[in-house]
Amino acid sequence: MPQPGSATVRSRVRIPLTFPDGYRTEAEVFTFHGLADGAEHLALALGTVPEGGTPLVRLHSECLTGDVFGSDRCDCGPQLRESVELISEAGGYLLYLRQEGRGIGLYNKLDAYALQDSGLDTYDANTALGLPEDDRDYTAAAQMLGALGTTGATGIDLLSNNPDKAAQLAGLGIAVRHRVPTGVHLSASNVRYLRAKAERTGHSIELSRLVG
């Protein structure tokens, strides 16, 4: 895979964060120049990486329905909340990537939801719309990590259940030391969604937890 061109930090600003359950922390939010896809991705620096330590990094794809409105059709909102706390404790970065609906966009994602209501899983619904199962490219994420100085000998620990994220980053020159799984954030409405991720794309989710 060709190595991405360099990006640079455009700005940085501190923002206090408070979640609905009362959890509070502070993030230093970075914006960037020169990202390959031209999108307004953000990096949130959380906690402090110990001297000589490895930053914990989460690549979180934007999910308006889950992150903002608390939709139970996916696990995105709980993963975001969990990631902020884990990274704050360990020290590292949350990359908030503007890749709604695994890259197909908000309207298309909602159209796919309608097809899921008729029995298709999350991947087949995308295909039925003539769209990729997963259209995400992590070139910009690799550029962001480079601009943040995480491409040294220690590399990163990647907080993710998705093996494709680690594989793409490695192909883009980012050393992934360990892949750390997130929790299984199960609800009555997302069992089929989580099962599809485990069975279709090898996400590290314990199928025994997915009853129903």
Side-chain angles (χ1 to χ4, degrees):
M1 183 179 295
Q3 300 305 300
S6 62
T8 57
V9 171
R10 173 184 173 275
S11 67
R12 52 201 295 176
V13 61
R14 300 200 72 82
I15 298 179
L17 307 178
T18 303
F19 286 81
D21 63 358
Y23 176 74
R24 299 173 62 88
T25 190
E26 187 170 82
E28 186 171 23
V29 180
F30 292 78
T31 66
F32 299 88
H33 286 301
L35 297 179
D37 58 9
E40 293 185 331
H41 306 300
L42 301 175
L44 279 67
L46 298 159
T48 303
V49 181
E51 185 70 28
T54 302
L56 182 62
V57 174
R58 166 78 180 162
L59 274 56
H60 187 89
S61 296
E62 177 182 43
C63 176
L64 179 71
T65 50
D67 297 343
V68 177
F69 297 118
S71 168
D72 282 340
R73 292 192 67 140
C74 63
D75 57 347
C76 301
Q79 281 189 329
L80 178 64
R81 164 64 181 83
E82 174 192 40
S83 297
V84 168
E85 183 168 1
L86 291 176
I87 297 171
S88 294
E89 291 172 352
Y93 300 97
L94 186 142
L95 273 54
Y96 196 81
L97 305 174
R98 312 304 295 274
Q99 300 172 330
E100 183 75 52
R102 295 197 303 274
I104 66 172
L106 179 60
Y107 279 16
N108 285 329
K109 182 179 81 170
L110 295 174
D111 291 343
Y113 277 178
L115 292 176
Q116 291 169 43
D117 289 342
S118 69
L120 298 183
D121 74 21
T122 181
Y123 299 104
D124 289 338
N126 283 21
T127 301
L129 292 170
L131 300 167
E133 291 184 354
D134 190 333
D135 201 32
R136 289 174 294 182
D137 178 280
Y138 298 109
T139 300
Q143 291 179 299
M144 294 161 74
L145 292 171
L148 293 167
T150 61
T151 54
T154 60
I156 66 169
D157 289 336
L158 183 66
L159 181 60
S160 177
N161 297 328
N162 185 351
D164 184 54
K165 290 181 179 179
Q168 283 203 41
L169 287 179
L172 291 162
I174 303 296
V176 178
R177 190 184 68 158
H178 298 299
R179 183 161 61 88
V180 180
T182 72
V184 178
H185 302 289
L186 184 64
S187 75
S189 299
N190 71 15
V191 172
R192 289 179 61 243
Y193 168 78
L194 294 179
R195 187 180 296 278
K197 291 207 296 185
E199 294 178 341
R200 297 284 299 271
T201 51
H203 282 59
S204 51
I205 299 171
E206 294 180 39
L207 288 172
S208 61
R209 297 280 303 277
L210 307 181
V211 179

